[in-house]
Amino acid sequence: MTQLIATDYQAPPEALPPKVAPIHMPEVKPTVHRKEPVKKPQELPPPMQPVTVDRRVEPGDIPISFEPPVVTKRKLGPAIVSSDPLPIYKPAPSYPRRALARGIEGYVVVEFTISKNGSVKNPSVVGGYDGSGAPTDIFNSAALNAVERFKYRPLLSEGQPVEKHGVRNRITFKMAE
């Protein structure tokens, strides 16, 4: 404090308040919501005439017989007699890194057998081709790995599952745009 007195302390100059631009407020008019008057209910239809029911029953008029149900020895077959294999699970193959690095797209045709339980047996590559149609084997292992995980509802013949040989599938490898 003594130092301030000794140096002839002067108060800082007063800062002017910042200038504020004039604000233009639009004129606000109160809105009134009008309710529609309640409509009169429709006129009721005329009451129905009561129907007279004859409640007299003669015991001899109604035939009463108690018999056990008739059992037939007819066998019912299964609901699905024959059907083609139906894919249940077909995972997408992983894109090979070499093909991704080179920017190669293509497809592979794979042939396999669908077993009685719906799994894939004996997958083999029929042919692999790049986007221009030239043969390539860059996608073969990825396609085979994906096909081995496929699951199907098996072929049904007369209600029994049967192996289906020679099933072909085309697996396309295309880079995202």
PDB file of all heavy atoms in Angstrom, residues 19 21 23-25 28 36 56 59 91 94 102 105 107 118 125 153:
ATOM      1  N   LYS A  19     -20.863  -0.726 -27.615  1.00  0.00           N
ATOM      2  CA  LYS A  19     -22.031  -0.247 -28.361  1.00  0.00           C
ATOM      3  C   LYS A  19     -22.885  -1.445 -28.753  1.00  0.00           C
ATOM      4  O   LYS A  19     -22.391  -2.463 -29.203  1.00  0.00           O
ATOM      5  CB  LYS A  19     -21.603   0.505 -29.611  1.00  0.00           C
ATOM      6  CG  LYS A  19     -20.945   1.825 -29.298  1.00  0.00           C
ATOM      7  CD  LYS A  19     -20.701   2.603 -30.569  1.00  0.00           C
ATOM      8  CE  LYS A  19     -20.095   3.946 -30.253  1.00  0.00           C
ATOM      9  NZ  LYS A  19     -19.859   4.720 -31.461  1.00  0.00           N
ATOM     10  N   ALA A  21     -26.061  -2.611 -31.127  1.00  0.00           N
ATOM     11  CA  ALA A  21     -26.874  -2.196 -32.272  1.00  0.00           C
ATOM     12  C   ALA A  21     -28.333  -2.219 -31.849  1.00  0.00           C
ATOM     13  O   ALA A  21     -28.760  -3.040 -31.036  1.00  0.00           O
ATOM     14  CB  ALA A  21     -26.647  -3.151 -33.435  1.00  0.00           C
ATOM     15  N   ILE A  23     -32.098  -3.134 -31.719  1.00  0.00           N
ATOM     16  CA  ILE A  23     -32.798  -4.378 -31.995  1.00  0.00           C
ATOM     17  C   ILE A  23     -34.193  -4.052 -32.500  1.00  0.00           C
ATOM     18  O   ILE A  23     -34.903  -3.254 -31.904  1.00  0.00           O
ATOM     19  CB  ILE A  23     -32.897  -5.230 -30.713  1.00  0.00           C
ATOM     20  CG1 ILE A  23     -31.502  -5.576 -30.228  1.00  0.00           C
ATOM     21  CG2 ILE A  23     -33.689  -6.487 -30.968  1.00  0.00           C
ATOM     22  CD1 ILE A  23     -31.485  -6.263 -28.888  1.00  0.00           C
ATOM     23  N   HIS A  24     -34.530  -4.679 -33.605  1.00  0.00           N
ATOM     24  CA  HIS A  24     -35.859  -4.462 -34.174  1.00  0.00           C
ATOM     25  C   HIS A  24     -36.711  -5.663 -33.809  1.00  0.00           C
ATOM     26  O   HIS A  24     -36.471  -6.782 -34.236  1.00  0.00           O
ATOM     27  CB  HIS A  24     -35.765  -4.348 -35.691  1.00  0.00           C
ATOM     28  CG  HIS A  24     -37.096  -4.156 -36.348  1.00  0.00           C
ATOM     29  ND1 HIS A  24     -38.172  -4.955 -36.124  1.00  0.00           N
ATOM     30  CD2 HIS A  24     -37.538  -3.241 -37.252  1.00  0.00           C
ATOM     31  CE1 HIS A  24     -39.201  -4.575 -36.828  1.00  0.00           C
ATOM     32  NE2 HIS A  24     -38.835  -3.529 -37.544  1.00  0.00           N
ATOM     33  N   MET A  25     -37.721  -5.479 -33.017  1.00  0.00           N
ATOM     34  CA  MET A  25     -38.625  -6.540 -32.615  1.00  0.00           C
ATOM     35  C   MET A  25     -39.884  -6.446 -33.465  1.00  0.00           C
ATOM     36  O   MET A  25     -40.513  -5.390 -33.519  1.00  0.00           O
ATOM     37  CB  MET A  25     -39.017  -6.405 -31.130  1.00  0.00           C
ATOM     38  CG  MET A  25     -37.871  -6.601 -30.166  1.00  0.00           C
ATOM     39  SD  MET A  25     -37.275  -8.275 -30.119  1.00  0.00           S
ATOM     40  CE  MET A  25     -38.658  -9.084 -29.405  1.00  0.00           C
ATOM     41  N   VAL A  28     -45.892  -8.526 -32.454  1.00  0.00           N
ATOM     42  CA  VAL A  28     -46.451  -9.843 -32.198  1.00  0.00           C
ATOM     43  C   VAL A  28     -47.942  -9.701 -31.933  1.00  0.00           C
ATOM     44  O   VAL A  28     -48.357  -8.909 -31.084  1.00  0.00           O
ATOM     45  CB  VAL A  28     -45.753 -10.491 -30.978  1.00  0.00           C
ATOM     46  CG1 VAL A  28     -46.354 -11.852 -30.713  1.00  0.00           C
ATOM     47  CG2 VAL A  28     -44.263 -10.603 -31.214  1.00  0.00           C
ATOM     48  N   GLU A  36     -64.212 -25.876 -33.159  1.00  0.00           N
ATOM     49  CA  GLU A  36     -65.430 -26.107 -33.925  1.00  0.00           C
ATOM     50  C   GLU A  36     -66.530 -26.521 -32.968  1.00  0.00           C
ATOM     51  O   GLU A  36     -66.278 -27.214 -31.975  1.00  0.00           O
ATOM     52  CB  GLU A  36     -65.192 -27.207 -34.955  1.00  0.00           C
ATOM     53  CG  GLU A  36     -64.210 -26.800 -36.030  1.00  0.00           C
ATOM     54  CD  GLU A  36     -64.058 -27.891 -37.085  1.00  0.00           C
ATOM     55  OE1 GLU A  36     -64.947 -28.759 -37.199  1.00  0.00           O
ATOM     56  OE2 GLU A  36     -63.050 -27.857 -37.779  1.00  0.00           O
ATOM     57  N   ARG A  56     -90.336 -74.542 -26.788  1.00  0.00           N
ATOM     58  CA  ARG A  56     -90.822 -75.886 -26.507  1.00  0.00           C
ATOM     59  C   ARG A  56     -90.037 -76.895 -27.335  1.00  0.00           C
ATOM     60  O   ARG A  56     -89.860 -76.715 -28.533  1.00  0.00           O
ATOM     61  CB  ARG A  56     -92.298 -76.007 -26.865  1.00  0.00           C
ATOM     62  CG  ARG A  56     -93.187 -75.137 -26.022  1.00  0.00           C
ATOM     63  CD  ARG A  56     -94.584 -75.248 -26.498  1.00  0.00           C
ATOM     64  NE  ARG A  56     -94.567 -74.925 -27.957  1.00  0.00           N
ATOM     65  CZ  ARG A  56     -95.608 -74.917 -28.733  1.00  0.00           C
ATOM     66  NH1 ARG A  56     -96.789 -75.226 -28.260  1.00  0.00           N
ATOM     67  NH2 ARG A  56     -95.523 -74.608 -29.990  1.00  0.00           N
ATOM     68  N   PRO A  59     -88.988 -84.190 -26.655  1.00  0.00           N
ATOM     69  CA  PRO A  59     -87.841 -85.098 -26.516  1.00  0.00           C
ATOM     70  C   PRO A  59     -87.669 -86.028 -27.703  1.00  0.00           C
ATOM     71  O   PRO A  59     -86.561 -86.432 -28.003  1.00  0.00           O
ATOM     72  CB  PRO A  59     -88.152 -85.894 -25.252  1.00  0.00           C
ATOM     73  CG  PRO A  59     -89.238 -85.183 -24.558  1.00  0.00           C
ATOM     74  CD  PRO A  59     -89.906 -84.300 -25.540  1.00  0.00           C
ATOM     75  N   PRO A  91     -22.016 -67.338 -45.223  1.00  0.00           N
ATOM     76  CA  PRO A  91     -21.189 -66.198 -44.825  1.00  0.00           C
ATOM     77  C   PRO A  91     -20.412 -65.637 -46.011  1.00  0.00           C
ATOM     78  O   PRO A  91     -20.059 -66.363 -46.939  1.00  0.00           O
ATOM     79  CB  PRO A  91     -20.241 -66.796 -43.779  1.00  0.00           C
ATOM     80  CG  PRO A  91     -20.136 -68.231 -44.164  1.00  0.00           C
ATOM     81  CD  PRO A  91     -21.481 -68.599 -44.709  1.00  0.00           C
ATOM     82  N   SER A  94     -13.781 -63.668 -46.996  1.00  0.00           N
ATOM     83  CA  SER A  94     -12.868 -62.553 -46.707  1.00  0.00           C
ATOM     84  C   SER A  94     -12.117 -62.225 -47.998  1.00  0.00           C
ATOM     85  O   SER A  94     -11.737 -63.113 -48.758  1.00  0.00           O
ATOM     86  CB  SER A  94     -11.900 -62.938 -45.590  1.00  0.00           C
ATOM     87  OG  SER A  94     -11.161 -64.075 -45.970  1.00  0.00           O
ATOM     88  N   ARG A 102      -3.725 -55.074 -55.048  1.00  0.00           N
ATOM     89  CA  ARG A 102      -3.585 -54.878 -56.494  1.00  0.00           C
ATOM     90  C   ARG A 102      -4.838 -54.286 -57.130  1.00  0.00           C
ATOM     91  O   ARG A 102      -4.833 -53.944 -58.307  1.00  0.00           O
ATOM     92  CB  ARG A 102      -3.272 -56.205 -57.168  1.00  0.00           C
ATOM     93  CG  ARG A 102      -1.946 -56.787 -56.773  1.00  0.00           C
ATOM     94  CD  ARG A 102      -1.724 -58.086 -57.498  1.00  0.00           C
ATOM     95  NE  ARG A 102      -0.571 -58.791 -56.969  1.00  0.00           N
ATOM     96  CZ  ARG A 102      -0.269 -60.036 -57.289  1.00  0.00           C
ATOM     97  NH1 ARG A 102      -1.022 -60.705 -58.127  1.00  0.00           N
ATOM     98  NH2 ARG A 102       0.787 -60.615 -56.773  1.00  0.00           N
ATOM     99  N   GLU A 105     -10.659 -57.451 -58.897  1.00  0.00           N
ATOM    100  CA  GLU A 105     -11.987 -57.986 -58.598  1.00  0.00           C
ATOM    101  C   GLU A 105     -12.179 -59.229 -59.450  1.00  0.00           C
ATOM    102  O   GLU A 105     -11.499 -59.403 -60.456  1.00  0.00           O
ATOM    103  CB  GLU A 105     -13.075 -56.957 -58.928  1.00  0.00           C
ATOM    104  CG  GLU A 105     -13.027 -55.728 -58.071  1.00  0.00           C
ATOM    105  CD  GLU A 105     -14.123 -54.730 -58.418  1.00  0.00           C
ATOM    106  OE1 GLU A 105     -14.674 -54.784 -59.537  1.00  0.00           O
ATOM    107  OE2 GLU A 105     -14.430 -53.898 -57.556  1.00  0.00           O
ATOM    108  N   TYR A 107     -14.401 -63.443 -59.666  1.00  0.00           N
ATOM    109  CA  TYR A 107     -15.341 -64.414 -59.104  1.00  0.00           C
ATOM    110  C   TYR A 107     -14.750 -65.812 -59.212  1.00  0.00           C
ATOM    111  O   TYR A 107     -13.821 -66.065 -59.978  1.00  0.00           O
ATOM    112  CB  TYR A 107     -16.701 -64.346 -59.794  1.00  0.00           C
ATOM    113  CG  TYR A 107     -16.698 -64.739 -61.255  1.00  0.00           C
ATOM    114  CD1 TYR A 107     -16.977 -66.047 -61.645  1.00  0.00           C
ATOM    115  CD2 TYR A 107     -16.434 -63.803 -62.252  1.00  0.00           C
ATOM    116  CE1 TYR A 107     -16.982 -66.402 -62.979  1.00  0.00           C
ATOM    117  CE2 TYR A 107     -16.435 -64.151 -63.579  1.00  0.00           C
ATOM    118  CZ  TYR A 107     -16.712 -65.453 -63.939  1.00  0.00           C
ATOM    119  OH  TYR A 107     -16.711 -65.819 -65.258  1.00  0.00           O
ATOM    120  N   GLY A 118     -27.054 -81.221 -44.064  1.00  0.00           N
ATOM    121  CA  GLY A 118     -27.053 -79.847 -44.548  1.00  0.00           C
ATOM    122  C   GLY A 118     -25.694 -79.191 -44.605  1.00  0.00           C
ATOM    123  O   GLY A 118     -25.588 -78.039 -45.019  1.00  0.00           O
ATOM    124  N   VAL A 125     -12.790 -76.028 -56.541  1.00  0.00           N
ATOM    125  CA  VAL A 125     -12.897 -74.867 -57.424  1.00  0.00           C
ATOM    126  C   VAL A 125     -13.027 -75.352 -58.854  1.00  0.00           C
ATOM    127  O   VAL A 125     -12.213 -76.135 -59.337  1.00  0.00           O
ATOM    128  CB  VAL A 125     -11.663 -73.948 -57.266  1.00  0.00           C
ATOM    129  CG1 VAL A 125     -11.702 -72.830 -58.283  1.00  0.00           C
ATOM    130  CG2 VAL A 125     -11.597 -73.399 -55.863  1.00  0.00           C
ATOM    131  N   ARG A 153     -30.639 -76.502 -45.823  1.00  0.00           N
ATOM    132  CA  ARG A 153     -31.659 -77.500 -45.501  1.00  0.00           C
ATOM    133  C   ARG A 153     -31.494 -78.542 -46.596  1.00  0.00           C
ATOM    134  O   ARG A 153     -31.560 -78.217 -47.785  1.00  0.00           O
ATOM    135  CB  ARG A 153     -33.062 -76.903 -45.545  1.00  0.00           C
ATOM    136  CG  ARG A 153     -34.114 -77.919 -45.068  1.00  0.00           C
ATOM    137  CD  ARG A 153     -35.501 -77.392 -45.156  1.00  0.00           C
ATOM    138  NE  ARG A 153     -35.891 -77.447 -46.575  1.00  0.00           N
ATOM    139  CZ  ARG A 153     -36.915 -76.814 -47.090  1.00  0.00           C
ATOM    140  NH1 ARG A 153     -37.662 -76.044 -46.344  1.00  0.00           N
ATOM    141  NH2 ARG A 153     -37.202 -76.922 -48.353  1.00  0.00           N
TER     142      ARG A 153
END
